[in-house]
Amino acid sequence: MDDIANELGISKKTIYVHFSNKTKLVEAVTFHLFDTICDGIDDICDNAPNPIEELYSIKMFVMQHLKNEKTSPQYQLKKYYPLIHSQLKFKQFEKMHNSVQESLQQGVNTGVFRDNIDVNFISRMYFTGMTGIKDNMFFPPEEFNMEYLMESYLEYHLRAIVTEKGFTILNQFITENQS
């Protein structure tokens, strides 16, 4: 709290006028950042030319907000504020599940994704995979950097559900935008 007060050029007492304790401040900042990221994702979803490029654009957007996992807000929350971390994880699931479901359905409707996929199941698998690649036990950071993991998982995911039309778009996009 001292560091925050010093950075803002105010007293700790002033901070406590707006937030009853440090936990309330962390919670407010966490969910403000979550809402900001959600707004960015919504903007991408509204403007992407197709569901494949939408998922890649979201990946790039998230990568810009992702730092070293040891210093990331998620890691800090899990360690010091497990209740806030749990609430955030639930909100992340809800947001990602709904967003990916809409994207998958749009892909089915436009012939980019197979019409026989179970949209609800695939959306949940996508979330599970994206959170699973962050597990250091399975993907040690000294062997796998996060950008590689996200890129590889996204391609893996898309190749499982695309049609021939989607395969053409995916390959063209990968060729033009290799990281």
Side-chain angles (χ1 to χ4, degrees):
M1 293 303 271
D2 288 326
D3 292 342
I4 294 168
N6 287 336
E7 186 68 29
L8 294 172
I10 60 175
S11 69
K12 282 196 316 187
K13 186 177 179 182
T14 303
I15 294 173
Y16 285 118
V17 167
H18 300 284
F19 302 98
S20 59
N21 58 47
K22 189 167 143 182
T23 300
K24 292 292 184 191
L25 174 63
V26 169
E27 182 178 56
V29 170
T30 298
F31 291 114
H32 175 73
L33 179 59
F34 174 78
D35 291 341
T36 300
I37 291 171
C38 286
D39 290 345
I41 290 171
D42 289 344
D43 187 51
I44 290 168
C45 293
D46 291 342
N47 295 303
N50 61 65
I52 292 171
E53 291 184 49
E54 175 182 305
L55 284 173
Y56 274 99
S57 295
I58 290 170
K59 179 203 70 114
M60 291 305 297
F61 180 76
V62 169
M63 287 302 299
Q64 290 171 348
H65 288 87
L66 186 67
K67 297 178 182 173
N68 176 329
E69 284 298 300
K70 294 283 186 225
T71 60
S72 75
Q74 295 252 12
Y75 179 83
Q76 300 293 322
L77 283 175
K78 187 175 183 179
K79 185 173 180 180
Y80 300 110
Y81 299 94
L83 182 58
I84 295 172
H85 178 264
S86 178
Q87 291 169 338
L88 177 63
K89 191 168 182 172
F90 179 76
K91 287 177 74 86
Q92 286 173 324
F93 170 74
E94 279 187 321
K95 175 64 180 171
M96 187 182 243
H97 181 59
N98 292 333
S99 178
V100 171
Q101 275 190 306
E102 288 175 20
S103 180
L104 289 169
Q105 193 58 58
Q106 180 190 5
V108 168
N109 295 345
T110 58
V112 175
F113 298 148
R114 293 183 289 114
D115 62 4
N116 63 341
I117 63 171
D118 181 337
V119 169
N120 183 35
F121 173 76
I122 298 295
S123 174
R124 290 170 187 273
M125 287 299 296
Y126 183 71
F127 181 82
T128 301
M130 285 303 252
T131 54
I133 62 175
K134 295 177 183 177
D135 188 322
N136 291 342
M137 184 176 84
F138 300 117
F139 299 102
E142 39 305 330
E143 279 186 61
F144 302 96
N145 75 49
M146 190 51 64
E147 185 167 354
Y148 170 80
L149 288 172
M150 288 182 78
E151 187 92 15
S152 297
Y153 181 73
L154 182 53
E155 183 177 344
Y156 175 83
H157 163 75
L158 288 169
R159 287 187 183 281
I161 63 173
V162 294
T163 60
E164 284 297 319
K165 177 181 176 183
F167 186 71
T168 301
I169 294 169
L170 176 61
N171 282 336
Q172 181 180 353
F173 186 83
I174 289 171
T175 300
E176 292 172 0
N177 299 284
Q178 289 192 335
S179 322

